[in-house]
Amino acid sequence: MRWTMALLLTMRRCVALRAPAPLYRRRCLTAMLDTTTEPLDAATVDWRGLRAEAARRLDRATKKIAKKSAKNKQLPESVEALKKTEAERDRLKELVDALNAVDGSAEALTLANALGVRDAPPPRQPRGPKKKK
């Protein structure tokens, strides 16, 4: 029941976009149905969406590093977590550079599959119930 409701809400949100049909409907349906971690293949991947998702994840990793380095000055025991996040950020930077260099490269696809980056953003959580006034 909960999955069906989330599916309906996501479909409603996709219809509300009123954008060019093929691109946005495919992207919304991909985000909605993509609960598995099947590897991306060059024939069906949305390169523009993959580039945007990789850039989004790189920005998030950079923000996490900034927060962890600020915490690290106060609590020095979180050095391992900071190093792990920096390594992830470096791999995401390699992916973004590979995607910006050549569209459709096999190296970028293997790196995206290794990092778990998809060609559509993760589905948004449905809104909660409205508050009574």
Side-chain angles (χ1 to χ4, degrees):
M1 179 73 179
R2 296 179 81 190
W3 184 82
T4 308
M5 187 57 123
L7 181 67
L8 289 173
L9 289 173
T10 309
M11 287 176 64
R12 178 195 256 166
R13 196 176 308 121
C14 291
V15 171
L17 287 175
R18 293 187 186 156
L23 180 66
Y24 286 99
R25 282 191 192 144
R26 180 174 175 265
R27 188 176 292 165
C28 287
L29 286 173
T30 304
M32 192 167 42
L33 300 174
D34 192 19
T35 57
T36 62
T37 56
E38 294 177 9
L40 298 171
D41 60 338
T44 60
V45 71
D46 178 15
W47 292 103
R48 195 168 140 202
L50 183 62
R51 194 178 301 116
E53 181 64 14
R56 185 188 73 82
R57 295 226 356 220
L58 178 64
D59 289 342
R60 286 183 55 119
T62 306
K63 287 179 185 178
K64 285 181 182 179
I65 288 173
K67 287 182 178 182
K68 286 182 181 182
S69 61
K71 268 187 185 176
N72 194 20
K73 291 177 183 175
Q74 298 170 355
L75 303 171
E77 61 263 0
S78 63
V79 175
E80 293 177 17
L82 180 64
K83 287 182 181 179
K84 183 180 173 184
T85 309
E86 285 176 345
E88 182 184 352
R89 183 203 50 193
D90 294 340
R91 292 183 69 195
L92 284 168
K93 180 68 175 155
E94 289 176 22
L95 174 62
V96 169
D97 291 341
L99 286 170
N100 288 337
V102 177
D103 212 20
S105 69
E107 175 191 346
L109 271 181
T110 56
L111 195 55
N113 286 329
L115 291 171
V117 178
R118 311 302 303 158
D119 61 348
R124 290 187 177 177
Q125 190 174 14
R127 294 181 68 178
K130 291 185 178 182
K131 295 180 181 178
K132 292 185 178 180
K133 293 184 180 180

